[in-house]
Amino acid sequence: MKPPAPRRRVTIVDVARHAQVSTTAVSKVLRNAYGASPEMRAKVRRAIDELGYRPHAGARGLRGQTYTIGVMLPDIRNPFFPEVLDGITQALEDTEYQVLLGPGCNGEKAEARVTEAMIDRGMDGLILVAPVSSRTRLEHVASAVPTVVVGRHGSSPGYDAVVNDDIEGASLVVGHLAGLGHRRIAHIEHHETDPTRLAEMPNARRADGYRQAMRALGLAEWIDVVSTSYTQEGGYRGAKELLERPQRPTAVFAGADVVAMGVLDAVAEAGLSVPDDISVAGYDNTTFAAFGLISLTSVDQAGHEIGRNAARLVLERITDRHTPSVQVSLAPTLVPRRTTARPPE
Amino acid sequence: MKPPAPRRRVTIVDVARHAQVSTTAVSKVLRNAYGASPEMRAKVRRAIDELGYRPHAGARGLRGQTYTIGVMLPDIRNPFFPEVLDGITQALEDTEYQVLLGPGCNGEKAEARVTEAMIDRGMDGLILVAPVSSRTRLEHVASAVPTVVVGRHGSSPGYDAVVNDDIEGASLVVGHLAGLGHRRIAHIEHHETDPTRLAEMPNARRADGYRQAMRALGLAEWIDVVSTSYTQEGGYRGAKELLERPQRPTAVFAGADVVAMGVLDAVAEAGLSVPDDISVAGYDNTTFAAFGLISLTSVDQAGHEIGRNAARLVLERITDRHTPSVQVSLAPTLVPRRTTARPPE
DNA sequence: CTGAAAGCGCTAACAA
DNA sequence: TTGTTAGCGCTTTCAG
């Protein structure tokens, strides 16, 4: 059995003929542009409905816009990003813009491929979530198309930015733990060598925030940072190392929830219990953290708000490419759960 | 400070002029089309590199292809789908095709919006993962663009399909539990009313497979199905109900891992322990399931393979739209972990 | 307010 | 093998 022959697409010419007007008129109605009488609009609208006409985005893009916003997500598996995405789509839901996602961006090469692909497809604006590419590269992208960078500290005149205040977030965790009576609070960070990224990436800021908060609370002597990676495996290795210390920490602040998962694993394996023997906190407030059996104390970044702001900014930037770039920083909140408690006597 | 003025894009005309050839020649080189001498190819390639030329996908789409494959994912949060996506992107990685994802497709309306948007953008092929839209709707989409449907049983001449053998998967779980000595094995299914979907959706097949397997093992009298939804909440409610039975089941087969999470929650709340008092199994083998502290027995659908097959099929369908449609069914495997054990004496 | 006509960047049909 | 030319479907001047 054969699939039916593909039908010819209804074009603007069909609509114009059917409505007895010019294609220009139809185009104006489509774009709500100035210069079309109410009667004409009504006539055209009717023709559009009757024919089931849909404008061809690619063809529109050749002269005007494609009404498409590209979103690049680094890791679809990290449960924090869907939150941001929801914020973006919700903010764009009532506009004519359609969101399209670029998948699987692990590393600079993949990011370059995806951003290029989006530019080639004439996207009107880009939202890059937690990109790892160099600043130069980001500015290059931004010079081709309005761009908002999410989750990278350090601003650029070339693009707008939305970040979470990671220093503050780390401080919330340390403060919470110290308030419970902990002194030996350790931190597991994501290993970072690149000097640019050292300044701009959230992971580095969280480690910084941890150190600053420890000092501010007079706990400088207990500062203890293990460098692994923001993965479950990294958390597991980091915790292993911490548990072998002569003086074991009584609390571990993992730089991300996935890391905390690995920590919980290692702690259980060592025959210790959480939070009686050791407290554990994460960052991101992912679904994992909220899950009853785990109930991980974490920091909420308000991903939804981050997304909404990014969407708003990219729309503004599309409308006016020449206003100065802006940076939005959102305050995180602490979500205390059952993995943190008073330290053992 | 103002963003730099956007540079004019390098076009095929620029390349042609720079290489001293016609635009046709450049176009041929771009598409590896017949009729260009090696010297010409080399010359054009060099010009392309020197100018940093990139073809404009929208413009290409107006005559030929856009080299874009659209993937629609129902719920980015469900950890099973990234697996499928990885399979797709990997299979497409060495081709000229770029994958773009449509976000947030919960419900028929959202699905329609996304599929329309993809068609409007001239995508060359679509992969629809676990769509809920009506068969008619899917065939409508497929009539406009080569389409592969993933995770819907029931074939159509209009589109290719890739599915997991859910009946077999359910059978693996029931067999495993029965082998451990369980008799009172209950199932939590996703409530389904729509008659079409009743036949085509994986959730319905899993419930069917459960019933068939129970009968085949002579356990028909213990068949016990609770209808809630494939969410953590649904699992929680379903388990609550099961735990109140005069004769409590000794094992619960949850139709999905997220459901099993809710079950674990409810079981813990009831003061029972897993697997000593009650065994729990899920379906999908998500990251959740693999996580050490949970260690959920589950069914692996080989999401990666599903994705690879879908990508392969869509490419074939783009090349030749007139071969008969095909259905691929992949066998699932059981992944026994620590939530299932012998029933209590 | 309305429409004719000229492209946007590319590919395909056709000539040379 | 190569180049010329006519569109693809739309937006955008620019006359009327």
Side-chain angles (χ1 to χ4, degrees):
Chain A
M1 211 150 139
K2 290 181 175 192
R7 309 141 302 185
R8 196 180 70 78
R9 223 186 137 87
V10 178
T11 75
I12 201 173
V13 179
D14 301 320
V15 176
R17 191 162 30 210
H18 191 258
Q20 318 244 51
V21 296
S22 71
T23 58
T24 311
V26 180
S27 177
K28 279 180 176 164
V29 173
L30 286 176
R31 292 172 291 116
N32 290 312
Y34 175 81
S37 63
E39 306 87 69
M40 164 148 279
R41 285 185 192 284
K43 214 164 38 168
V44 171
R45 287 257 153 69
R46 192 158 357 101
I48 287 176
D49 288 344
E50 284 175 17
L51 298 179
Y53 166 74
R54 305 209 33 130
H56 187 293
R60 300 181 92 170
L62 233 40
R63 293 307 301 258
Q65 307 186 27
T66 57
Y67 299 93
T68 313
I69 305 289
V71 175
M72 190 181 77
L73 249 37
D75 177 15
I76 211 173
R77 258 167 256 268
N78 185 326
F80 169 62
F81 297 121
E83 206 66 28
V84 177
L85 183 62
D86 274 356
I88 295 172
T89 47
Q90 194 196 301
L92 259 27
E93 178 163 75
D94 296 323
T95 70
E96 299 205 77
Y97 291 91
Q98 173 66 37
V99 174
L100 250 27
L101 264 68
C105 297
N106 35 33
E108 300 200 44
K109 237 181 79 193
E111 285 191 3
R113 174 172 175 167
V114 170
T115 47
E116 288 301 314
M118 289 179 163
I119 295 171
D120 296 344
R121 278 153 190 81
M123 300 211 171
D124 300 329
L126 258 44
I127 297 177
L128 310 180
V129 180
V132 298
S133 298
S134 71
R135 166 86 83 97
T136 317
R137 172 75 206 147
L138 297 179
E139 283 171 344
H140 168 82
V141 170
S143 76
V145 52
T147 301
V148 175
V149 173
V150 172
R152 272 277 283 256
H153 297 265
S155 63
S156 161
Y159 51 79
D160 299 317
V162 181
V163 290
N164 164 256
D165 188 341
D166 293 283
I167 302 242
E168 169 65 11
S171 168
L172 286 174
V173 173
V174 174
H176 166 69
L177 291 169
L180 287 168
H182 290 273
R183 295 294 168 264
R184 294 198 298 281
I185 305 168
H187 177 59
I188 300 179
E189 70 166 357
H190 181 88
H191 186 63
E192 187 71 73
T193 49
D194 184 297
T196 323
R197 286 198 289 245
L198 241 183
E200 296 194 353
M201 298 297 279
N203 41 303
R205 304 283 279 218
R206 289 176 196 172
D208 264 6
Y210 159 80
R211 289 195 192 87
Q212 288 177 26
M214 288 294 276
R215 274 189 225 106
L217 291 164
L219 302 175
E221 60 178 311
W222 302 112
I223 288 178
D224 185 357
V225 178
V226 177
S227 259
T228 60
S229 71
Y230 274 11
T231 59
Q232 189 172 325
E233 160 70 12
Y236 181 82
R237 281 190 289 116
K240 278 277 202 197
E241 190 176 328
L242 287 171
L243 293 175
E244 280 167 9
R245 298 260 196 274
Q247 279 242 38
R248 211 170 59 205
T250 62
V252 176
F253 164 32
D257 283 355
V258 273
V259 178
M261 295 299 134
V263 174
L264 292 178
D265 251 356
V267 169
E269 201 178 291
L272 297 171
S273 90
V274 172
D276 297 334
D277 298 315
I278 191 165
S279 286
V280 177
Y283 205 113
D284 288 345
N285 194 28
T286 57
T287 337
F288 264 125
F291 176 50
L293 284 186
I294 295 181
S295 190
L296 177 74
T297 294
S298 192
V299 176
D300 192 299
Q301 296 196 50
H304 204 268
E305 280 307 299
I306 292 180
R308 291 203 330 120
N309 275 277
R312 185 177 54 78
L313 286 176
V314 82
L315 289 186
E316 285 177 19
R317 185 62 55 196
I318 289 171
T319 311
D320 180 3
R321 292 180 72 126
H322 297 297
T323 46
S325 74
V326 310
Q327 289 72 234
V328 175
S329 178
L330 281 94
T333 53
L334 184 79
V335 184
R337 292 205 184 86
R338 294 201 302 270
T339 54
T340 50
R342 304 179 60 86
E345 299 306 312
Chain B
M1 211 152 141
K2 288 181 177 192
R7 309 142 301 184
R8 195 181 69 79
R9 224 187 137 86
V10 179
T11 76
I12 202 173
V13 179
D14 300 320
V15 176
R17 190 162 31 210
H18 192 256
Q20 318 245 49
V21 297
S22 71
T23 59
T24 310
V26 179
S27 177
K28 279 180 175 164
V29 173
L30 285 177
R31 293 173 291 116
N32 291 313
Y34 176 82
S37 64
E39 306 87 66
M40 163 146 280
R41 284 185 192 285
K43 216 167 31 171
V44 171
R45 288 256 153 69
R46 191 156 1 98
I48 288 176
D49 287 344
E50 284 175 18
L51 297 179
Y53 166 75
R54 303 209 35 130
H56 187 293
R60 300 181 93 170
L62 233 39
R63 294 309 303 259
Q65 308 186 27
T66 57
Y67 298 92
T68 313
I69 305 290
V71 175
M72 190 180 79
L73 250 36
D75 177 15
I76 211 173
R77 260 167 255 268
N78 185 325
F80 168 62
F81 297 121
E83 207 65 28
V84 177
L85 183 61
D86 274 356
I88 295 173
T89 47
Q90 194 196 301
L92 259 27
E93 180 163 73
D94 296 323
T95 71
E96 300 205 77
Y97 291 90
Q98 173 66 37
V99 174
L100 251 26
L101 264 68
C105 298
N106 34 34
E108 301 199 43
K109 236 182 78 193
E111 285 191 2
R113 173 171 176 168
V114 170
T115 47
E116 287 302 313
M118 289 179 163
I119 295 171
D120 296 344
R121 278 151 189 81
M123 300 211 171
D124 300 329
L126 258 44
I127 297 177
L128 310 180
V129 180
V132 297
S133 298
S134 71
R135 166 86 83 97
T136 317
R137 172 77 206 146
L138 296 179
E139 282 171 346
H140 168 83
V141 170
S143 76
V145 53
T147 302
V148 176
V149 173
V150 173
R152 272 277 283 255
H153 297 264
S155 62
S156 161
Y159 52 79
D160 300 317
V162 181
V163 290
N164 162 256
D165 188 341
D166 293 285
I167 301 241
E168 168 66 11
S171 168
L172 287 174
V173 173
V174 174
H176 166 70
L177 292 168
L180 287 168
H182 291 272
R183 295 294 169 265
R184 293 198 298 281
I185 304 169
H187 177 59
I188 300 179
E189 70 168 356
H190 181 88
H191 186 63
E192 187 72 71
T193 49
D194 184 296
T196 323
R197 288 198 286 246
L198 241 183
E200 297 194 353
M201 298 298 278
N203 41 303
R205 304 284 277 218
R206 289 175 196 172
D208 265 5
Y210 159 79
R211 289 195 192 86
Q212 288 177 25
M214 289 294 276
R215 274 188 226 108
L217 290 166
L219 302 175
E221 61 179 309
W222 301 111
I223 287 178
D224 186 357
V225 178
V226 177
S227 259
T228 61
S229 71
Y230 275 10
T231 58
Q232 188 173 325
E233 161 69 13
Y236 181 83
R237 281 189 290 116
K240 278 275 201 199
E241 190 176 327
L242 287 171
L243 293 176
E244 280 167 9
R245 297 261 196 274
Q247 280 241 37
R248 211 170 57 206
T250 62
V252 176
F253 164 33
D257 283 355
V258 272
V259 178
M261 295 298 135
V263 174
L264 292 179
D265 252 358
V267 169
E269 202 177 290
L272 298 170
S273 90
V274 171
D276 297 334
D277 298 315
I278 192 164
S279 285
V280 177
Y283 204 113
D284 289 345
N285 194 28
T286 57
T287 338
F288 264 126
F291 176 49
L293 284 186
I294 295 181
S295 190
L296 177 74
T297 294
S298 191
V299 176
D300 191 299
Q301 296 195 50
H304 204 268
E305 279 307 299
I306 292 180
R308 290 202 332 118
N309 274 279
R312 184 177 55 78
L313 287 176
V314 82
L315 289 187
E316 285 176 18
R317 185 62 54 196
I318 289 171
T319 313
D320 180 3
R321 291 179 73 125
H322 296 297
T323 47
S325 74
V326 310
Q327 288 73 234
V328 175
S329 178
L330 274 69
T333 52
L334 184 79
V335 185
R337 292 205 183 86
R338 295 201 300 270
T339 55
T340 50
R342 304 179 59 85
E345 300 304 313

